[in-house]
Amino acid sequence: MRSLTTLILVTLLTYLISSNNLSVCVGPLVSTRMLSEKTAPIFAYASYIIGLILQSKHMVTIPVPTCFLNIALTVTLILVLIGEVFKVPVSLMYILSTSMMTYGLVTYGDPRLFYAVGYWAISSILILILSPLLLKMLHRLGRRRPTVTLSIYRLMSYVASFLLCMSFGANNIGYLWSLEGRDLPALGLIVIASMLGTFVTGRRTLRKLAGVYALTLTGCLTAMVFSYAAAQVATLLGIPVSFSVLLVCSIVGVSYGYSIRIIDTRYVKRALTVLYGSIPLSAILTMLILAIFRP
């Protein structure tokens, strides 16, 4: 265990990220009425913990002094809370991981920041390009045997959502656990914090994207398949990702496969601008902290 302060900050951030990402991980299933708002948190939380236990070992963080880590965690917590107050979408994972990797780049010459930013950009572009192609393919297959295909697509959607939730537990929650030091007492608190975030406040945020998009079953399946694929590859590479960005990019890509608009493009542009803009701002803020305070 690093320190009591680190443990408290990691626990708080786990609570927030579990609450905010519930709507991302199971929102598509709720929007298509495949899961109810009562059962969705149970489904998501169980998947989080399975992913955390099975795959979080891949999320190895850059070694940083405890004093700097506590500063970065505190700044991240403050920025996320400010975003919540002003209803601005802020990526906790982009802010925190960029800060850690900027420290590694400045201090050790560790190039992980370049790899991560490259993956974030490339995965978003690929999702935007490939999502409408998969959607059209699913539509064509569905016309042949609609009754049978509908049942298969529903089952595949449940599986994709389960895997997406698992990836969130491994990638985001696993990253926070790795920052703390991966000790068992911390794991217990993280599991409890995730449970509280999911069931206490996560229910209120579950449908926060419902007014932004309207998905069909094939659109839901397509969005979750690509979100999971990008998240799983990132986890295997040890790169933290923003699940909000992955889902939004997937939904935008899916919207290109329809003849009518299914998404509020103005909201999407604003959200992605803020989310991607947090990456260079986090790097600059980290360098300023290092210039003022050398841990």
Side-chain angles (χ1 to χ4, degrees), residues 194-214:
S194 180
M195 179 179 65
L196 293 175
T198 302
F199 289 97
V200 176
T201 53
R203 291 178 184 274
R204 293 201 299 266
T205 64
L206 181 55
R207 298 187 65 86
K208 69 180 179 181
L209 296 179
V212 180
Y213 62 84

Side-chain angles (χ1 to χ4, degrees), residues 2 12 21 72 81-82 107 126 130 135 147 151 161 191 201 207 212 219 237-238 240 276:
R2 280 181 175 265
L12 289 173
N21 280 274
L81 291 175
I82 291 174
T107 306
L126 288 176
L130 297 177
L135 179 72
T147 304
S151 299
S161 183
V191 168
T201 53
R207 298 187 65 86
V212 180
L237 294 175
Y276 283 119

Side-chain angles (χ1 to χ4, degrees), residues 129-176:
I129 295 172
L130 297 177
S131 293
L133 301 179
L134 177 59
L135 179 72
K136 292 178 181 179
M137 185 185 74
L138 292 175
H139 281 164
R140 284 197 298 268
L141 293 173
R143 294 191 191 103
R144 297 176 183 176
R145 301 182 65 182
T147 304
V148 176
T149 306
L150 180 64
S151 299
I152 294 174
Y153 285 178
R154 287 178 65 88
L155 177 61
M156 291 173 63
S157 295
Y158 286 119
V159 172
S161 183
F162 171 74
L163 293 174
L164 180 62
C165 291
M166 274 187 60
S167 289
F168 171 76
N171 190 289
N172 282 195
I173 301 177
Y175 184 75
L176 289 170

Side-chain angles (χ1 to χ4, degrees), residues 33-79:
R33 301 184 184 279
M34 284 187 283
L35 278 181
S36 69
E37 292 186 31
K38 291 183 178 180
T39 58
I42 301 172
F43 178 90
Y45 178 69
S47 306
Y48 293 168
I49 302 307
I50 293 172
L52 173 64
I53 294 172
L54 294 182
Q55 287 195 308
S56 63
K57 62 184 179 182
H58 296 291
M59 303 307 296
V60 180
T61 61
I62 292 174
V64 298
T66 300
C67 53
F68 174 80
L69 175 60
N70 289 342
I71 292 173
L73 290 170
T74 302
V75 170
T76 301
L77 179 61
I78 292 171
L79 292 176

Side-chain angles (χ1 to χ4, degrees), residues 234-254:
T235 300
L236 295 176
L237 294 175
I239 298 174
V241 290
S242 168
F243 280 70
S244 297
V245 170
L246 294 181
L247 182 66
V248 170
C249 288
S250 297
I251 294 172
V252 171
V254 165

Side-chain angles (χ1 to χ4, degrees), residues 79-80 82-91 267 270-271 274-275:
L79 292 176
V80 171
I82 291 174
E84 289 288 323
V85 171
F86 290 98
K87 306 299 180 183
V88 176
V90 177
S91 172
Y267 173 84
R270 182 172 70 91
V274 174
L275 289 166

